[in-house]
């Protein structure tokens, strides 16, 4: 794009991806989650361009960009553009201070890996524009407008976890987040001598958006039925297993399984948080395996590739636990592996995965990291 020939960045923003240690699909059911940002991130460079409304956005990794008019925002037929457009649309409802800007994007987050590159894109843009134009948005403003942008422009009815983790995370800690009250507790995570190893299935979760919305609808259907017998409940967060059992005759088998998973998963999140605080890593690992079984058999958002990798992990005594992480249908498995066994575990998984699926596995360590931040800023 033409503006890149003379692009001198005024502001650089780093916006991270995230992992969720446990608590899958509980966020839009007003439950608990346990996420943290990771070191893999999207880097934004911003520059005011002197125009009133003309903006240029360019992805270095994909060598593609687009131009937009702040006075005429509308959805695009190109998926990634809608994350940008949706954020700008939400910001426009809150302030008229944004003017023309140029922005480049460079990501080392594997696309479709379940590490929430979409939230990193949304939050990094919101954070950068807030800094560049002194919009006065709070961190929570940026979290909430980014979530709304994903609902309205990208079409995914996500909970708040991904955006919250991208902005609010702190290095060396996970966030115990109550997705109803938005109260949070930072929990230090001490894994030594274990490491968090992600295995990227390279299976893009392209079913995730449509099926994600289906799962949300199934949970809402469950709540509507259960509420007929227990009017006090507002979400699956409020439902006990006894309540679910009482209502089982009135629920479809599928909806019953979805509800059972969410109820159990909320309990697992709280149990993992407690285990981390008492440094019981074996308990954490056991709960991760239980969570994956639920993800696969009850919520049905796993895939054969993820199930295969978790099965490999179970055969290795040096792996405390593993599960698919992210929205589902591919992406990464999260593994807690003893530091002495990382190399042999990765080699074994890579070899057997290649033999089974003819896909080259990607493996990398992740560490709980800080949220979206200014990397460098030239004060004018």
């Amino acid at each position: 794009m033409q503006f890149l020939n003379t692009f001198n960045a005024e502001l650089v923003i780093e916006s991270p991806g995230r992992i969720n240690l446990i608590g899958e699909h509980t966020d839009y059911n007003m439950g608990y989650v346990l996420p943290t940002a990771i070191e893999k991130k999207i880097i934004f460079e911003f520059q005011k361009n002197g125009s009133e409304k003309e903006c240029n956005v360019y992805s270095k990794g994909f060598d593609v960009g687009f131009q937009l008019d702040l006075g005429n925002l509308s959805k695009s037929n190109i998926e990634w553009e809608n994350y940008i457009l949706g954020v700008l649309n939400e910001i426009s409802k809150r302030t008229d201070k944004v003017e023309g800007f140029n922005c480049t994007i460079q990501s080392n987050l594997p696309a479709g890996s379940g590490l929430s590159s979409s939230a990193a894109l949304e939050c990094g843009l919101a954070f950068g524009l807030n800094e560049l134009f002194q919009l006065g948005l709070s961190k929570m403003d940026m979290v909430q407008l980014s979530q709304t942008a994903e609902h309205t422009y990208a079409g995914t009815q996500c909970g708040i976890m991904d955006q919250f983790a991208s902005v609010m995370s702190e290095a060396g800690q996970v966030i115990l987040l109550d997705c109803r009250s938005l109260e949070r507790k930072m929990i230090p995570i001490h894994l030594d001598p274990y490491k968090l190893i992600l295995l990227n299935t390279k299976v893009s979760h392209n079913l995730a958006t449509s099926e994600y919305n289906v799962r949300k609808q199934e949970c809402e259907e469950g709540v509507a039925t259960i509420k007929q017998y227990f009017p006090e409940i507002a979400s699956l967060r409020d439902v006990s297993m006894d309540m679910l059992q009482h209502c089982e005759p009135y629920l479809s088998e599928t909806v019953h399984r979805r509800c059972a998973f969410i109820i159990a998963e909320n309990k697992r999140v709280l149990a993992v948080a407690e285990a981390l605080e008492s440094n019981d890593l074996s308990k954490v690992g056991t709960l991760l395996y239980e969570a994956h079984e639920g993800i696969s058999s009850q919520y049905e958002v796993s895939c054969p590739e993820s199930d295969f990798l978790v099965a490999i992990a179970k055969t290795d005594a040096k792996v405390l636990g593993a599960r698919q992480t992210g929205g589902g249908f591919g992406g990464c498995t999260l593994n807690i592996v003893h530091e002495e066994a990382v190399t042999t575990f990765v080699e074994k998984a890579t070899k057997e995965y290649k033999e089974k699926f003819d896909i080259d596995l990607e493996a990398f360590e992740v560490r709980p990291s800080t949220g979206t931040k200014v990397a460098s800023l030239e004060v004018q």
Side-chain angles (χ1 to χ4, degrees):
M1 296 179 72
Q2 187 63 37
F3 77 88
L4 288 174
N5 295 335
T6 55
F7 194 111
N8 294 311
E10 300 172 42
L11 172 69
V12 180
I13 298 292
E14 296 179 349
S15 190
R18 65 96 190 93
I19 56 168
N20 185 26
L21 196 59
I22 196 165
E24 226 56 88
H25 294 268
T26 48
D27 58 347
Y28 56 79
N29 284 294
M30 299 298 108
Y32 300 98
V33 290
L34 202 62
T36 179
I38 58 175
E39 291 165 319
K40 288 188 176 292
K41 66 194 72 168
I42 300 176
I43 298 172
F44 297 77
E45 293 185 346
F46 290 93
Q47 174 201 56
K48 296 176 185 176
N49 63 22
S51 73
E52 187 177 348
K53 295 186 181 299
E54 180 184 299
C55 305
N56 301 287
V57 182
Y58 177 79
S59 168
K60 291 182 176 181
F62 293 100
D63 190 24
V64 64
F66 69 107
Q67 192 172 84
L68 61 96
D69 179 351
L70 291 170
N72 187 28
L73 296 172
S74 60
K75 289 184 187 179
S76 169
N77 293 324
I78 300 172
E79 183 181 13
W80 78 274
E81 293 181 4
N82 281 321
Y83 296 108
I84 303 292
L85 294 164
V87 168
L88 287 169
N89 182 60
E90 288 305 312
I91 289 177
S92 73
K93 298 175 182 177
R94 292 162 172 82
T95 177
D96 59 0
K97 291 183 180 179
V98 177
E99 297 178 355
F101 66 88
N102 300 327
C103 173
T104 63
I105 301 163
Q106 178 75 60
S107 176
N108 63 14
L109 276 168
S113 58
L115 302 180
S116 201
S117 57
S118 58
L121 187 58
E122 295 152 359
C123 295
L125 181 71
F127 198 99
L129 293 177
N130 190 53
E131 291 285 331
L132 192 65
F133 294 105
Q134 297 298 297
L135 304 181
L137 299 172
S138 69
K139 284 188 172 182
M140 186 53 71
D141 289 335
M142 291 182 273
V143 167
Q144 291 176 326
L145 75 84
S146 294
Q147 180 198 21
T148 303
E150 188 143 346
H151 289 183
T152 56
Y153 268 60
T156 301
Q157 300 302 307
C158 61
I160 204 165
M161 174 185 71
D162 293 350
Q163 292 81 9
F164 198 99
S166 188
V167 173
M168 301 292 193
S169 290
E170 298 176 15
Q173 304 188 70
V174 292
I175 306 170
L176 176 59
L177 174 64
D178 180 334
C179 294
R180 179 163 61 192
S181 68
L182 297 185
E183 292 178 2
R184 67 185 184 273
K185 180 180 183 182
M186 308 305 294
I187 299 179
I189 179 168
H190 302 294
L191 291 174
D192 189 61
Y194 290 85
K195 294 182 179 294
L196 291 175
I197 304 298
L198 292 190
L199 300 180
N200 186 2
T201 64
K202 300 283 189 72
V203 177
S204 180
H205 55 183
N206 51 12
L207 280 175
T209 295
S210 59
E211 289 295 327
Y212 190 106
N213 294 341
V214 169
R215 294 301 180 279
K216 187 170 185 286
Q217 291 164 5
E218 288 167 342
C219 291
E220 289 169 351
E221 181 184 330
V223 169
T225 300
I226 296 167
K227 198 174 179 65
Q228 295 176 29
Y229 302 92
F230 299 94
E232 67 273 21
I233 69 129
S235 69
L236 286 178
R237 156 76 171 273
D238 304 314
V239 179
S240 67
M241 283 295 187
D242 286 344
M243 290 179 181
L244 183 64
Q245 186 175 3
H246 176 85
C247 296
E248 185 173 2
Y250 316 109
L251 297 167
S252 72
E253 183 182 343
T254 297
V255 168
H256 181 267
R257 284 201 309 273
R258 306 296 189 248
C259 295
F261 169 76
I262 296 298
I263 295 166
E265 187 78 344
N266 270 320
K267 290 182 178 179
R268 283 190 287 264
V269 174
L270 297 176
V272 167
E274 186 177 311
L276 286 174
E277 290 184 309
S278 61
N279 206 32
D280 187 350
L281 295 182
S282 294
K283 179 67 170 177
V284 172
T286 298
L287 289 163
L288 259 59
Y289 280 134
E290 288 181 11
H292 184 79
E293 176 59 31
I295 287 166
S296 182
S297 64
Q298 290 181 301
Y299 220 65
E300 297 179 284
V301 292
S302 186
C303 63
E305 293 85 355
S306 294
D307 291 345
F308 183 80
L309 290 173
V310 171
I312 289 175
K314 284 184 175 179
T315 67
D316 191 332
K318 296 288 188 179
V319 181
L320 291 183
R323 71 174 193 89
Q324 179 183 266
T325 187
F329 306 101
C332 295
T333 62
L334 171 68
N335 305 266
I336 303 177
V337 188
H338 196 284
E339 60 186 6
E340 294 176 353
V342 169
T343 300
T344 53
F345 169 67
V346 169
E347 287 176 351
K348 174 182 168 63
T350 300
K351 178 176 181 292
E352 294 188 14
Y353 191 71
K354 177 71 172 178
E355 290 172 354
K356 176 72 172 177
F357 297 104
D358 196 27
I359 299 173
D360 294 318
L361 196 64
E362 178 186 17
F364 47 92
E365 181 182 358
V366 292
R367 300 177 184 87
S369 302
T370 190
T372 304
K373 64 179 182 179
V374 176
S376 66
L377 176 61
E378 296 178 13
V379 179
Q380 298 191 35

